[in-house]
Amino acid sequence: MYRFAIRVFGCQMNTYDADRLRTALIHKNWKEYPESAADVIILVTCSIREKAEHKVTSAIGRYDLKYRNTNSPIVIFVGCMAQRIGIKMAKKFACIKLVSGPRHLGLVPDAIEKVLKDGKRRFLMDDDPRELIDLEVVPTERDNPFKAYVTITYGCDRFCSYCIVPHVRGRLQSREHNSIVNEVRTLVNTGVSEITLLGQNVDAYGKDKVDGYRFAALLKEVSMIEGLKRLRFTTSHPKDFDEDILEVMDENTSICPAINLPIQSGSDRILQAMHRGYTVEQYLSLVERIRRVLPHVSLTSDIIVGFPGETEEDFQDSYNLLKKVRYDVVHTAAYSPRDGTLAAVMENQIEKKVKARRLNDINDMQSELTRELNEEYIGRELEILLDGRAPKGAGLFQGRTNTDKVVIVKACEEEIGSFMRVRITKGNNWSLEGERI
Ligand code: 5AD
Ligand code: SF4
């Protein structure tokens, strides 16, 4: 019996991969331990920005120090960062015994066992961006027994000029819809109430195939699975978001009225340099259509400040766009150059100081907006799915609305995992407060 610990960095897709790895290892009779007591540490890593990679590097540095003194723990390095610079990192850190790109996950559990038996290092790199050796395991070992992620597409073909994802995760590949539907069914049968379908661009689902079975059809089929209470999906791409998705969302109440529709910039000039494939006007017209069909929709977005060549005026366009759209939540980021992407070699890179200031400005404004929008919830009666204890406050628990807002409410331990009707009494920056009806 081996003792393992698993740490996840980055996006929800990594959480899904980690959940599958954990499940596969537990099926092999392995046991999960706190990091300090584990023989094997699995790192599921992210490359989206330099900061994400720094975190992983410093964690590996700490494990390596211990490994050099005690021969333990060994590090299993998987995911986007492993694909990008795993080979180089393994030269520096002796503790790294297995490096695997995200498309070789299916070989990882057996490879870890081989490493433990013979002590030899192994590399499972995604050299062919179309090859996929997936881990065919339903992720039943998760932190939250009531919620689960299910990946529906691998990779991305959009090649936005700032983005490392297509370089590390390879070309778009849609999973067979039967396999997705079966996985969701199995999860629901084990007590899951809420599923989130994942893809870098879920709206592109099926566009790599010829059978015409696209995202709207998948959404509809999954939403009708008996016992599934809530269905979410992320991320959407304005260029691939087809109208029939809205129709399906409107007709099926189990599909949560929440869409993450990244704009990335409010300036047409920058959008073009980012290769996003739409203008601000086209984007806004899509938002209008979404809001017409789903008036209570929660819209969230991603935006990058300080992309190469972004002038103060371009930045103001982004700032004003957020004010205009009034998103529920915006994930903001300062542009981070990624080797191998087009934007990394563009001239007119923006100074760190300027990026930091723009990020601050836009965050301040958006957090004020989010609070205003949260205050608009006061008095509304909603249903929440109770997730667990609130971070602080005796007897306080937290749940989520179908628009994914956090609501803090008085409840008890036995109610975790059940739905509760609440009236909203207060709107804060990152959460709402409510009382049971
Ligand atoms: N720098 C900053 N932010 C980035 N993102 C992707 N690549 C970069 C980068 N190089 C952001 C985008 C994307 C989100 C997942 O991360 O906003 O939507
Ligand atoms: Fe990256 Fe663009 Fe693909 Fe999103 S759509 S993963 S930002 S390349």
Side-chain angles (χ1 to χ4, degrees):
M1 190 197 74
Y2 298 114
R3 297 186 289 191
F4 75 97
I6 193 158
R7 283 187 67 186
V8 192
F9 299 82
C11 67
Q12 292 146 321
M13 207 168 269
N14 277 2
T15 302
Y16 174 72
D17 286 350
D19 288 346
R20 287 189 299 161
L21 277 174
R22 176 187 299 108
T23 307
L25 295 176
I26 289 174
H27 287 171
K28 281 176 174 287
N29 270 328
W30 287 43
K31 227 170 143 38
E32 192 170 11
Y33 271 78
E35 211 180 285
S36 55
D39 313 308
V40 178
I41 306 228
I42 302 163
L43 303 177
V44 185
T45 62
C46 171
S47 274
I48 199 85
R49 285 182 283 277
E50 204 181 355
K51 213 159 89 190
E53 293 194 341
H54 275 325
K55 276 194 218 160
V56 175
T57 309
S58 60
I60 296 181
R62 282 195 304 276
Y63 304 131
D64 203 58
L65 212 60
K66 195 168 163 205
Y67 175 82
R68 283 174 198 268
N69 290 324
T70 64
N71 247 342
S72 174
I74 64 161
V75 168
I76 308 299
F77 190 16
V78 307
C80 294
M81 181 181 174
Q83 172 63 26
R84 202 177 84 77
I85 48 170
I87 296 174
K88 201 170 90 190
M89 298 267 293
K91 288 197 182 117
K92 189 163 163 207
F93 298 111
C95 65
I96 298 177
K97 293 294 179 191
L98 175 68
V99 180
S100 170
R103 287 178 174 242
H104 275 77
L105 215 63
L107 300 181
V108 168
D110 284 347
I112 303 178
E113 283 193 340
K114 285 186 196 148
V115 165
L116 283 162
K117 282 191 185 117
D118 64 15
K120 282 193 196 131
R121 259 200 179 148
R122 286 174 170 77
F123 295 89
L124 304 166
M125 307 319 292
D126 304 350
D127 294 328
D128 173 355
R130 288 174 204 280
E131 191 184 14
L132 172 65
I133 306 170
D134 207 11
L135 183 58
E136 307 281 345
V137 173
V138 180
T140 48
E141 302 288 339
R142 302 177 312 274
D143 281 347
N144 188 324
F146 317 106
K147 291 184 180 180
Y149 298 123
V150 173
T151 290
I152 63 166
T153 60
Y154 297 98
C156 180
D157 283 350
R158 282 249 156 241
F159 281 96
C160 300
S161 61
Y162 51 81
C163 186
I164 195 70
V165 167
H167 305 267
V168 287
R169 286 209 173 242
R171 297 292 64 70
L172 174 75
Q173 229 173 98
S174 302
R175 265 180 83 182
E176 284 302 325
H177 68 96
N178 286 332
S179 149
I180 297 168
V181 169
N182 286 337
E183 182 164 330
V184 175
R185 267 208 195 100
T186 309
L187 288 166
V188 169
N189 288 340
T190 60
V192 169
S193 319
E194 180 180 307
I195 293 281
T196 304
L197 303 177
L198 298 179
Q200 263 76 38
N201 170 7
V202 287
D203 310 319
Y205 178 83
K207 293 188 179 177
D208 54 328
K209 301 215 164 124
V210 290
D211 61 5
Y213 189 97
R214 297 278 168 86
F215 184 58
L218 177 73
L219 203 54
K220 187 168 176 177
E221 190 172 348
V222 174
S223 73
M224 289 190 312
I225 291 174
E226 219 181 295
L228 177 63
K229 304 271 180 27
R230 280 183 175 178
L231 179 59
R232 303 183 187 282
F233 56 88
T234 195
T235 299
S236 286
H237 193 295
K239 182 92 176 153
D240 284 307
F241 193 97
D242 299 325
E243 303 283 303
D244 50 358
I245 299 171
L246 284 178
E247 254 168 64
V248 173
M249 289 180 78
D250 188 33
E251 284 163 6
N252 297 273
T253 49
S254 62
I255 305 173
C256 296
I259 302 174
N260 177 233
L261 193 69
I263 174 95
Q264 308 298 4
S265 169
S267 148
D268 281 338
R269 212 174 55 79
I270 298 296
L271 283 175
Q272 199 172 16
M274 287 176 161
H275 294 176
R276 288 293 290 176
Y278 53 82
T279 61
V280 172
E281 195 186 328
Q282 286 166 333
Y283 180 94
L284 290 175
S285 129
L286 176 59
V287 167
E288 208 182 295
R289 277 172 284 151
I290 292 173
R291 285 184 164 155
R292 207 179 307 134
V293 180
L294 307 166
H296 281 301
V297 74
S298 138
L299 266 188
T300 57
S301 196
D302 300 358
I303 203 154
I304 298 174
V305 299
F307 183 84
E310 184 187 74
T311 61
E312 214 45 49
E313 205 182 341
D314 295 321
F315 169 69
Q316 282 305 322
D317 287 344
S318 289
Y319 188 96
N320 292 331
L321 183 121
L322 297 198
K323 275 185 137 172
K324 182 165 181 173
V325 177
R326 296 171 70 81
Y327 293 105
D328 288 85
V329 173
V330 180
H331 309 109
T332 55
Y335 168 72
S336 167
R338 310 279 63 215
D339 279 350
T341 62
L342 277 174
V345 288
M346 285 179 185
E347 286 168 12
N348 307 325
Q349 298 282 329
I350 306 292
E351 248 182 284
K352 264 206 169 112
K353 230 171 48 199
V354 175
K355 289 194 269 195
R357 201 238 320 132
R358 290 181 185 168
L359 187 63
N360 247 329
D361 286 357
I362 213 159
N363 280 343
D364 284 351
M365 184 269 295
Q366 181 59 40
S367 84
E368 186 56 28
L369 261 181
T370 299
R371 199 184 44 76
E372 271 176 42
L373 286 162
N374 283 349
E375 280 176 353
E376 286 172 17
Y377 271 72
I378 295 174
R380 280 178 66 185
E381 295 183 2
L382 304 160
E383 188 172 56
I384 59 168
L385 171 58
L386 220 58
D387 282 322
R389 286 188 171 278
K392 54 184 181 195
L396 291 183
F397 286 74
Q398 67 178 39
R400 297 246 179 189
T401 65
N402 64 355
T403 50
D404 218 22
K405 297 270 178 198
V406 175
V407 180
I408 309 290
V409 66
K410 275 200 187 116
C412 52
E413 206 77 35
E414 298 73 50
E415 289 175 296
I416 294 175
S418 61
F419 286 88
M420 181 190 277
R421 281 200 72 78
V422 294
R423 183 179 302 108
I424 304 304
T425 53
K426 195 166 175 223
N428 301 321
N429 264 351
W430 71 276
S431 67
L432 306 170
E433 292 174 27
E435 57 190 22
R436 181 198 306 261
I437 299 173

